[in-house]
Amino acid sequence: MHQLEIVIAPFAKRGEQLAIKRVAAQAAADKAIKARQHALLSADLDDQRALDRVQSAAATASLDLAAIDDAIAVLAQQKAEAERQFAAERDRIERAAAAEKLTNQVDAIKAALPGYLEHSRVLADALSEISPWHFESDQIANFVQNTTAQVEVAANFAVAELAAMPEAVREGRQAIPGEPGPVPVIEPSEPAIAAQIEPDPVLRAAGFTVIDRSAEARSIEIEVPRA
């Protein structure tokens, strides 16, 4: 963030200066326009020189204000472009570093995998020699052999996939490993509205009032005489 502040500091400073000048230009334009309006409404309309003078002052003040507004708009675009370039450069640097780190990690896996498989086979062979008379060794040997075979098959796919990731990360085709994914937004559900119970049409026609006493339900203890 400190580097970004350094990049946009000149734009921010120039923007503050232009904002101050705009306040003054707006005041001058308002004053000149009001003077022109007063001349047209109250001054001698035959005095063309006076009318031309207030008209020129109003036009000049309006042009000055428009020029400042245009400069502020261009400055905002330049600031946005500088921020975009800074963000792109920062992303490029972060991706290059992440790709380099991932490349080293994949190389370490490639270097360690053959030795792991070889040592696993050596261990399985050693255990197999005593497995005929030692049950636990036989179980371990079978486990090591099965695990080694599964690791070898899975590694053929995983290593190939991992080897292609650094370039994808560097080119922006894949997210940097470890970056948090987008957080799903859960829309609040509307509370359920209880269905309205319509009274029986026969009772309603007869003038009866239906009273819902379900909320007043309670249990009643009844004493039963024992034999």
Side-chain angles (χ1 to χ4, degrees):
M1 184 59 68
H2 179 65
Q3 293 180 345
L4 178 59
E5 292 175 352
I6 294 176
V7 171
I8 66 174
F11 298 99
K13 183 177 180 180
R14 176 64 68 171
E16 293 174 357
Q17 294 172 343
L18 287 174
I20 295 174
K21 290 186 69 65
R22 191 191 185 284
V23 172
Q26 182 69 65
D30 292 343
K31 182 178 180 180
I33 292 173
K34 187 175 181 179
R36 180 181 60 184
Q37 184 183 64
H38 179 268
L40 292 173
L41 293 175
S42 304
D44 184 4
L45 295 178
D46 293 331
D47 189 353
Q48 191 60 44
R49 292 182 60 184
L51 293 176
D52 291 343
R53 185 167 56 252
V54 293
Q55 172 61 29
S56 176
T60 300
S62 298
L63 288 175
D64 290 344
L65 179 61
I68 294 175
D69 286 339
D70 181 66
I72 291 175
V74 173
L75 184 67
Q77 294 176 357
Q78 292 176 346
K79 178 175 176 288
E81 178 62 19
E83 291 175 343
R84 187 195 66 78
Q85 292 180 0
F86 176 82
E89 179 63 15
R90 181 176 58 185
D91 183 70
R92 185 192 66 79
I93 294 174
E94 291 178 352
R95 286 187 173 278
E100 183 66 22
K101 179 181 179 181
L102 183 56
T103 298
N104 295 334
Q105 292 172 331
V106 175
D107 290 343
I109 294 173
K110 289 180 178 179
L113 185 60
Y116 166 80
L117 296 175
E118 180 61 26
H119 284 85
S120 297
R121 294 189 183 97
V122 172
L123 176 60
D125 292 342
L127 291 169
S128 297
E129 292 180 0
I130 59 176
S131 61
W133 54 269
H134 193 258
F135 176 78
E136 285 77 8
S137 296
D138 180 63
Q139 295 297 305
I140 296 174
N142 291 333
F143 175 78
V144 171
Q145 289 172 347
N146 292 334
T147 302
T148 302
Q150 293 178 18
V151 169
E152 187 172 13
V153 172
N156 289 332
F157 294 97
V159 172
E161 181 182 9
L162 289 171
M165 284 185 179
E167 191 64 23
V169 171
R170 183 178 286 105
E171 295 179 355
R173 293 183 285 107
Q174 181 169 325
I176 296 176
E179 283 189 341
V183 179
V185 178
I186 301 177
E187 296 293 338
S189 58
E190 296 183 359
I193 301 176
Q196 298 292 330
I197 301 176
E198 292 292 335
D200 187 277
V202 176
L203 296 178
R204 182 168 54 188
F208 288 94
T209 301
V210 179
I211 301 176
D212 183 8
R213 296 187 178 276
S214 59
E216 302 176 5
R218 60 182 181 273
S219 59
I220 301 176
E221 295 183 0
I222 301 176
E223 184 177 355
V224 179
R226 298 181 180 179

